[in-house]
Amino acid sequence: MTSSEDAAREQGRQLGRRQFLHGASTFGALLALRELTPGYAWAQPSGADGALAPDAAGVLDLSVDDLALRINGRAGGAQAINGTVPGPLIRLKEGQEAVLRVTNRLTEISSIHWHGIILPPDMDGVPGVSFGGIGPGETFTYRFPVRQSGTYWCHSHSGGQELLGVYAPLIIDPAGPDPIAYERDYVVMLSDWSFESPATIISKLKKQAGYYNFQRRTLADFIRDSSKNGLPATLAERLSWSRMRMDPTDFADVTGYTYTYLINGLPPEANWTALFRPGERVRLRFIAAGAMTYFDVRIPGLKLTMVQADGQNIRPVEVDEFRIAPGETFDAIVQPDDRAYTLMVESMDRSGFTRGTLAPRPGMSAPIPPRRPRPIRTMADMGMDMSGMDMSAGAAGPTGMEGMQAPPSPSSQPVMDIAGHNMQGMPEVDRTREAAAATREAVVNNAMAGMDMGGTVAASSNQHAAAGTASTPFVHGPDTHGAGNSSIAMVARSRLDEPGSGFEASDGRVLVYTDLLSTVPQSDQRAPAREIELHITGNMERYMWSFDGRKYSEAREPIPFRYGERLRLVFVNDTMMEHPIHLHGMWMELENGGGAHQPRKHTISVKPAERLTVAVTADAPGRWAMHCHLLLHMELGMFRVVEVSHPSAAAS
């Protein structure tokens, strides 16, 4: 390891949550600074490009500074690129060399990460991995060849700066003619903003994990559900959630209670507007820059033809709406008629929304559709869905699997004998583990006979390959994740063909991951020769997040990739929340049944109790970050480093 890498790692040890909190300490002191006037060139309704112009030497100059951001007449402390939230539109050309000079005017270390861009590791912009960060008052020049095209973005990778506004769109035009035909082009950058500091949000979540959830079920819900489903069934369902000490309305850690949701930095009241001529093909480049928010996007009365995902062209697919996870990008083509349309963007938990307008003339607007009801978690989200498993021939047995909805809990499960496991006299925690193990044993013996379930789900390569399209359930092995994890998905399965919770009232087509097919065959057609399984874990009550039950601070050794190898990453989500997993430096090919046309993505959303697989070609030597793109989850531990060996090591 070189001395510069040692320095970068040492500096990284000094970052993390301490910097996150320090970065927020100036939150209340920023109000005397200049205020942001909403509206800047690339977000204007004229359709003008408005991209940041390079200087005579071809250098793009960026700065990161404190800012007093005004939203709906109220000022709050922000941090921003070139004085705007979002920052300026950066437009590059495939085949050129990008030279971006970033000056840090903050009083803390800063950085810019080029999200989804394939580049050298020391240009990736992640302090503590292969880069030391940009110190206060310092300037760092990012220089890298541009080898791709499409819709991307950039953001700080230091503490809470991304949450405070340090992000900007990045568009790369193809070297040749664009295969996507359109007459007008708009960036639609979706984000969340709170007047509370990151430190305050973290503090509240640490004290009470559901602090921001004001959508919990009430007595009125109980009466309504009892009337619909019957009192015994409703009572049993409520008790099962109580035993698990979990909340079926838990979809977002941070909600519309504190967040204002923005389109291109503007709240719904500002009504961001994109103008068009009737009949034009309008390209909308959706970028999910929300630090903690999944968004559901639709334009009532207008079909969206999805043409790109994470900067990669896909076979066109027509949908009525789609969900976009933090870190993802989707491009859509629309052809509006001579009237106004509402661009409706709801948070996944339905606690808030933002909106814009597509219109042929300025000043027009369309009705805002009614808000949809908040969703409810299901037993599938908890990894308790036994559908598709052979529960006949005595599968219910002594474990009572016919009505099973949750694993036993020490607070409610009596001392009992399950499948011959006598738990009398055991400590409560041991009884819980023994009961859960017995339940898994019954499932394996009675429903999954003939499948190799040794270890932590030792499925074969063929089973993994089929996981992208089949709903074959996989039974979780013993929970070895420790205190860093509060639950496991007893039955995990591929959910790539599911739109996700919250679309039950939708009468249109919702984009799903099995819809995504690359327009060209992937260049590496080798079958993965090795598998690495990672479990997405967390303890919501303690507000801890991790991989395999270990926070980043507890798992300092990198995950080794061998240069040139083709390997498979297996993600198993043991939590009841969605997690967008982002790999730096290399593409993940989502094994969704597309064969040679399976899509390349840099960020993949993993649903609760989902088991999905991606293929990776380890073609980028060096150290790379891999993490959840929910910012607070990453900062509190759901972060690992992947290290690809040097080509010389692979040759030897």
Side-chain angles (χ1 to χ4, degrees):
M1 182 178 293
T2 66
S3 58
S4 62
E5 288 175 327
D6 282 334
R9 293 193 68 177
E10 180 58 32
Q11 189 153 31
R13 291 189 178 98
Q14 301 172 19
L15 301 177
R17 190 174 177 224
R18 182 172 60 183
Q19 181 187 330
F20 185 90
L21 299 178
H22 170 72
S25 65
T26 59
F27 184 81
L30 301 177
L31 303 186
L33 300 177
R34 59 184 175 155
E35 296 178 0
L36 173 67
T37 301
Y40 18 89
W42 65 264
Q44 293 304 305
S46 65
D49 184 291
L52 182 69
D55 64 14
V59 177
L60 290 173
D61 277 303
L62 304 172
S63 64
V64 181
D65 204 346
D66 291 320
L67 177 75
L69 177 67
R70 184 170 291 276
I71 300 289
N72 288 337
R74 181 181 175 189
Q79 294 172 335
I81 300 174
N82 287 23
T84 66
V85 176
L89 170 60
I90 300 167
R91 198 143 199 160
L92 304 175
K93 182 86 169 180
E94 183 182 15
Q96 77 172 100
E97 182 182 51
V99 184
L100 303 114
R101 190 163 50 204
V102 180
T103 300
N104 177 16
R105 296 196 175 107
L106 303 175
T107 59
E108 63 194 55
I109 287 177
S110 189
S111 59
I112 298 292
H113 162 59
W114 314 98
H115 187 105
I117 305 302
I118 304 301
L119 37 57
D122 58 344
M123 295 289 114
D124 191 44
V126 184
V129 176
S130 54
F131 163 73
I134 308 172
E138 294 181 354
T139 297
F140 181 86
T141 300
Y142 292 89
R143 187 186 298 270
F144 53 87
V146 181
R147 302 169 178 167
Q148 62 205 96
S149 62
T151 300
Y152 302 94
W153 63 300
C154 63
H155 58 85
S156 172
H157 225 289
S158 301
Q161 292 170 17
E162 180 192 336
L163 188 150
L164 289 170
V166 185
Y167 50 83
L170 169 61
I171 308 302
I172 304 177
D173 294 309
D178 196 325
I180 300 172
Y182 59 94
E183 286 77 50
R184 201 174 292 265
D185 186 9
Y186 286 104
V187 168
V188 184
M189 201 162 204
L190 309 175
S191 60
D192 42 32
W193 168 260
S194 175
F195 289 97
E196 294 184 289
S197 71
T200 298
I201 292 173
I202 284 281
S203 176
K204 289 178 177 178
L205 290 172
K206 275 290 189 181
K207 290 171 182 153
Q208 183 181 344
Y211 180 89
Y212 292 102
N213 184 4
F214 283 79
Q215 301 193 109
R216 294 187 182 95
R217 295 189 294 187
T218 64
L219 177 60
D221 293 317
F222 181 83
I223 294 171
R224 183 201 63 220
D225 292 347
S226 296
S227 176
K228 178 181 177 182
N229 304 319
L231 179 60
T234 302
L235 187 60
E237 189 266 349
R238 294 302 200 273
L239 287 173
S240 69
W241 285 102
S242 177
R243 289 175 187 138
M244 291 183 289
R245 299 179 185 176
M246 294 181 180
D247 189 336
T249 65
D250 183 12
F251 278 79
D253 299 347
V254 191
T255 71
Y257 173 74
T258 186
Y259 272 151
T260 300
Y261 300 114
L262 309 176
I263 294 179
N264 294 337
L266 302 177
E269 294 81 3
N271 190 24
W272 175 81
T273 301
L275 297 181
F276 62 85
R277 293 187 180 92
E280 281 186 324
R281 291 170 55 88
V282 181
R283 182 173 186 167
L284 302 175
R285 301 175 182 266
F286 292 94
I287 302 172
M292 291 294 293
T293 305
Y294 277 72
F295 290 109
D296 294 338
V297 181
R298 58 192 163 122
I299 306 176
L302 200 56
K303 297 286 186 180
L304 299 102
T305 301
M306 313 304 292
V307 294
Q308 195 177 94
D310 285 3
Q312 303 295 289
N313 293 337
I314 59 172
R315 293 179 181 175
V317 54
E318 188 177 83
V319 301
D320 295 282
E321 63 181 311
F322 64 94
R323 174 165 290 170
I324 186 168
E328 287 188 308
T329 71
F330 283 108
D331 286 26
I333 299 292
V334 296
Q335 284 189 278
D337 295 325
D338 189 13
R339 66 183 181 91
Y341 299 84
T342 294
L343 171 59
M344 185 68 178
V345 181
E346 292 178 288
S347 62
M348 178 174 63
D349 69 328
R350 307 292 183 249
S351 65
F353 76 99
T354 189
R355 63 93 182 223
T357 296
L358 275 64
R361 291 171 292 281
M364 298 181 69
S365 63
I368 299 175
R371 301 277 297 283
R372 294 184 286 195
R374 58 100 165 89
I376 295 290
R377 293 290 186 197
T378 66
M379 285 300 119
D381 296 325
M382 290 304 300
M384 306 298 169
D385 182 8
M386 302 300 168
S387 62
M389 299 176 65
D390 181 9
M391 303 308 294
S392 62
T399 60
M401 295 295 293
E402 290 170 319
M404 193 196 80
Q405 293 185 323
S409 166
S411 63
S412 59
Q413 185 71 22
V415 177
M416 58 188 297
D417 182 276
I418 296 183
H421 295 246
N422 187 357
M423 293 177 283
Q424 184 68 42
M426 286 185 180
E428 283 189 342
V429 64
D430 292 337
R431 290 203 305 271
T432 301
R433 291 172 178 167
E434 188 74 8
T439 301
R440 284 189 292 273
E441 180 182 329
V443 174
V444 173
N445 292 340
N446 295 302
M448 306 297 289
M451 294 181 66
D452 177 11
M453 288 295 168
T456 309
V457 193
S460 69
S461 296
N462 289 336
Q463 289 163 347
H464 279 310
T469 54
S471 59
T472 305
F474 294 86
V475 177
H476 200 301
D479 183 10
T480 59
H481 303 319
N485 192 50
S486 58
S487 66
I488 60 170
M490 293 178 63
V491 179
R493 68 183 75 223
S494 170
R495 306 184 69 182
L496 297 179
D497 59 348
E498 300 177 26
S501 300
F503 292 111
E504 294 78 12
S506 176
D507 56 1
R509 179 175 179 178
V510 182
L511 184 73
V512 295
Y513 270 175
T514 47
D515 289 330
L516 306 182
L517 295 172
S518 172
T519 56
V520 297
Q522 300 301 349
S523 58
D524 192 346
Q525 296 292 319
R526 293 177 295 166
R530 187 166 69 101
E531 294 180 354
I532 298 174
E533 182 164 309
L534 287 171
H535 286 242
I536 298 167
T537 49
N539 189 319
M540 186 66 180
E541 288 305 312
R542 299 186 185 185
Y543 207 70
M544 299 163 56
W545 302 100
S546 56
F547 287 111
D548 291 336
R550 292 188 298 165
K551 298 183 295 183
Y552 177 51
S553 60
E554 301 167 338
R556 298 299 300 180
E557 291 304 313
I559 299 172
F561 285 12
R562 295 188 288 270
Y563 177 76
E565 74 171 327
R566 180 76 163 172
L567 58 87
R568 173 177 288 120
L569 293 178
V570 183
F571 294 112
V572 181
N573 189 351
D574 282 337
T575 78
M576 64 178 290
M577 299 188 73
E578 291 79 1
H579 295 274
I581 304 302
H582 174 43
L583 175 64
H584 293 222
M586 292 162 280
W587 292 108
M588 296 183 285
E589 292 179 21
L590 180 62
E591 295 187 307
N592 67 346
H597 290 268
Q598 62 193 17
R600 296 197 304 186
K601 293 188 97 272
H602 51 62
T603 307
I604 290 179
S605 179
V606 188
K607 296 181 183 70
E610 181 167 31
R611 179 186 182 86
L612 65 74
T613 65
V614 299
V616 177
T617 298
D619 56 0
R623 292 164 53 85
W624 304 99
M626 182 174 67
H627 58 88
C628 178
H629 219 280
L630 294 171
L631 180 64
L632 303 187
H633 291 192
M634 179 190 75
E635 288 293 329
L636 293 179
M638 197 180 289
F639 182 102
R640 293 293 299 270
V641 170
V642 166
E643 185 163 16
V644 181
S645 62
H646 193 272
S648 60
S652 62

